Amino acid sequence: MLRKWRDHVDVQQVRNTRVTHTVSQIQVQDRIHTASKSKDMASAWLTPGRLLLLFCAMNMLVYIDRGVIASNGVNGDKASQQGLPAYGIVGEFGLNLTQDGFLATAFMVGLLISAPVFAEASKHYPALRLMAVGLGAWILSTAGCAFSFGYTSLMICRMVVGLGEASFVSLASPLIDDTAPPARKSRWLATFYLCIPVGYAAGYILGGLIAPALGWRAAFLLEAAAMVPFAAFCAVGPPLDLKGKPQHTGSGDPSSNEGKGLGDKVQHGVTAALADLKTLAKHPVYVLNVAGTAVYTGVLGAYAYWGPKAGAQVFSMSPEGADLKFGAITVVTGVMGTILGGVALDQVGSTMTNALAICCISNVVGALMLVLSFAVASSFGMFAPFFAVGQLGLFAIQAPSNAVALWAVPPLLRPFGMAILIICIHLAGDVPSPPALGWLQSKLANWRLSMSVCSLFLLLAAAIYAAGGVLARRAPDYRETSQATDDESNGASIQHSWKQADHRMHGPEHLLAHPICVRQHPYDF
């Protein structure tokens, strides 16, 4: 009797334990279901159009920073022989033209180091979370510019700015390409890239207005504060993944880094990056597009940094007046030119050949008009129309050239391809061009001649784009495989979900045998 009673107690305890475990599982499923509903609501709010607007605002702030440091108000000048006092960064730290030019390019250090890292990390982590990390560094470094106590500390802060830019610009355009309507991809990319000239111009204007009133340091603090809510959104908003991202299943995945040490992870990342780089080098259309864009970006960067200062001296304008006039022209031509390039590509047919043809023609138009604006114009009234048409041609290149960078490589390589594009156009473009133009001007002492020589490099860019357009006729357009890859990925994800559901149904606890569990199970349709 005692043994039977003990057996009865043991059985009852086992049953109670199973019931308690079942109730705990139900509570866990309830919490998962509630969290899933909250995530779905957040994802429903983040429509493709709203995502585009958020990215445009972030992009504009990134380039406002570029315009601010190039503005006459913030950049400043030494004391003149006419008795005008020194002001701005140049005046406070006593910089020469070459040192001043390096301020515009210091961000390249952070960008060169971090862009491939963020591109490789996008294969394993949500894109928005990576942007949050980079934008956090951008906020700290721009605020640090306001507290710099010398040229060295300011240069260090400008280097870290590049880290934030790398995380954003290498991931934002692939996400836009993923979410944009197929018939309007070029226009959506154009909308995103028009924020570059608008941001530059707004930086000129804001720098010219804020620096005289609050000092040049205040401009950096204000732009850092403006970026905070966007970085917070990237940190807590819905995680977004890129199309073509491989489906990882944990330690069973041979590409998983779980269980590896830091050294092994670094070695794996470097090996993967080198393999991706070799793959990119086998796509000649991509390579020529990068080369042409690097030359074009070098001219654009030189104009962006030295344009207001050259205009002020050639046409005897005040620094603040030059900032406002050049900023206004850049805003109007930047918006019109960037949209024109995207709309034109959609209208003539969104092929890589057509995109590169637009880039070639736009470079030729830009070269001719910019040379005429500085070499021929005798007054600002004559200068402005030539300069505006030249700028219009340059900004029409933005959407087509970046579209080719996305379409000429396999979907999984788009973030890395954009990262390499960004590194190359800066390293061979607008990093050396401002100090080089500053050096040339110090030798020639003639802004008209210096700016004209700089403009002629656009003809080289046009020739490179033309060569790429010829090869693009026979090159693969990877947009055709992107949708198929995405459908296959979605199918694998659904199969994986049903395998998990089947495992729960036939697991050792038989949770779904309980009627309450059947009602609470998230896979119950």
Side-chain angles (χ1 to χ4, degrees):
M1 289 290 294
L2 181 60
R3 178 176 294 178
K4 290 183 179 180
W5 180 79
R6 287 178 177 174
D7 290 342
H8 175 73
V9 171
D10 291 340
V11 169
Q12 191 65 33
Q13 287 177 344
V14 170
R15 288 178 177 175
N16 290 340
T17 300
R18 288 182 174 178
V19 170
T20 301
H21 184 68
T22 300
V23 172
S24 299
Q25 290 287 340
I26 293 171
Q27 292 173 343
V28 170
Q29 293 288 352
D30 282 339
R31 288 194 292 269
I32 293 174
H33 188 57
T34 301
S36 178
K37 288 176 66 178
S38 300
K39 184 181 294 186
D40 290 342
M41 291 176 63
S43 298
W45 178 87
L46 188 62
T47 62
R50 288 171 178 165
L51 181 68
L52 176 64
L53 290 176
L54 287 169
F55 282 167
C56 285
M58 297 179 204
N59 201 27
M60 188 173 297
L61 282 172
V62 167
Y63 282 91
I64 281 176
D65 173 70
R66 301 272 199 93
V68 161
I69 198 167
S71 67
N72 282 305
V74 171
N75 190 258
D77 206 348
K78 297 179 180 179
S80 67
Q81 296 179 351
Q82 289 76 23
L84 296 177
Y87 65 99
I89 295 172
V90 173
E92 183 170 337
F93 297 146
L95 308 183
N96 57 42
L97 287 174
T98 304
Q99 290 175 317
D100 189 15
F102 277 118
L103 280 180
T105 62
F107 72 94
M108 184 61 201
V109 176
L111 189 144
L112 180 64
I113 295 171
S114 59
V117 175
F118 282 111
E120 177 63 25
S122 68
K123 299 178 183 178
H124 310 284
Y125 301 99
L128 280 187
R129 300 297 181 262
L130 295 173
M131 288 185 190
V133 174
L135 292 178
W138 188 93
I139 291 168
L140 293 176
S141 57
T142 50
C145 293
F147 298 101
S148 58
F149 48 84
Y151 180 66
T152 302
S153 60
L154 181 60
M155 282 287 288
I156 292 173
C157 290
R158 298 308 299 173
M159 291 176 188
V160 182
V161 166
L163 188 151
E165 182 176 336
S167 70
F168 176 69
V169 296
S170 61
L171 300 177
S173 52
L175 280 173
I176 293 172
D177 191 52
D178 284 347
T179 57
R184 290 183 287 170
K185 285 184 181 291
S186 299
R187 272 173 276 189
W188 279 44
L189 288 170
T191 302
F192 176 71
Y193 286 109
L194 70 82
C195 296
I196 294 177
V198 173
Y200 255 121
Y204 292 155
I205 296 170
L206 290 174
L209 294 175
I210 294 172
L214 302 175
W216 64 266
R217 298 175 185 271
F220 293 110
L221 287 176
L222 290 174
E223 65 185 31
M227 185 65 85
V228 170
F230 297 105
F233 169 79
C234 291
V236 302
L240 296 178
D241 282 330
L242 298 167
K243 285 184 180 180
K245 180 177 178 180
Q247 297 292 325
H248 298 292
T249 58
S251 58
D253 186 353
S255 65
S256 174
N257 282 329
E258 292 183 9
K260 295 181 179 180
L262 178 60
D264 291 334
K265 290 181 179 180
V266 171
Q267 183 179 2
H268 173 76
V270 171
T271 302
L274 291 175
D276 290 344
L277 190 61
K278 291 180 180 178
T279 304
L280 290 178
K282 296 177 182 178
H283 293 78
V285 174
Y286 171 83
V287 173
L288 288 172
N289 180 66
V290 170
T293 306
V295 177
Y296 149 77
T297 304
V299 176
L300 193 63
Y303 265 89
Y305 196 75
W306 294 114
K309 185 167 290 187
Q313 295 189 21
V314 169
F315 300 109
S316 302
M317 295 185 291
S318 67
E320 295 80 8
D323 285 342
L324 290 174
K325 290 177 180 179
F326 273 77
I329 293 174
T330 304
V331 166
V332 175
T333 58
V335 172
M336 293 177 61
T338 308
I339 294 178
L340 178 64
V343 172
L345 182 56
D346 282 336
Q347 292 298 318
V348 301
S350 296
T351 66
M352 293 193 296
T353 301
N354 289 340
L356 291 167
I358 291 174
C359 293
C360 176
I361 295 170
S362 298
N363 269 289
V364 172
V365 172
L368 295 177
M369 293 297 104
L370 292 176
V371 168
L372 289 174
S373 66
F374 271 100
V376 176
S378 58
S379 66
F380 187 81
M382 185 183 297
F383 165 87
F386 288 118
F387 184 70
V389 175
Q391 292 264 76
L392 196 70
L394 293 187
F395 290 122
I397 297 168
Q398 294 279 358
S401 62
N402 283 280
V404 172
L406 292 169
W407 301 341
V409 297
L412 184 59
L413 287 181
R414 289 177 306 160
F416 189 77
M418 292 303 296
I420 296 301
L421 170 68
I422 293 163
I423 290 173
C424 291
I425 66 174
H426 291 315
L427 191 62
D430 58 2
V431 165
S433 64
L437 184 55
W439 174 86
L440 181 65
Q441 171 60 17
S442 67
K443 299 298 182 182
L444 299 178
N446 186 332
W447 277 115
R448 289 182 182 272
L449 182 57
S450 296
M451 301 303 284
S452 298
V453 170
C454 177
S455 303
L456 291 175
F457 278 90
L458 293 173
L459 298 178
L460 173 61
I464 297 173
Y465 279 128
V470 173
L471 295 179
R473 297 175 182 176
R474 300 183 300 273
D477 186 335
Y478 286 94
R479 284 175 297 171
E480 299 172 0
T481 62
S482 178
Q483 185 62 44
T485 302
D486 188 49
D487 292 341
E488 182 181 347
S489 176
N490 289 337
S493 179
I494 292 172
Q495 289 182 354
H496 180 64
S497 298
W498 278 107
K499 286 181 181 179
Q500 288 182 324
D502 185 66
H503 175 73
R504 290 192 180 96
M505 287 180 179
H506 300 93
E509 297 299 330
H510 304 289
L511 292 177
L512 293 180
H514 195 282
I516 299 179
C517 290
V518 173
R519 178 175 61 83
Q520 297 287 349
H521 197 274
Y523 292 101
D524 181 28
F525 296 101

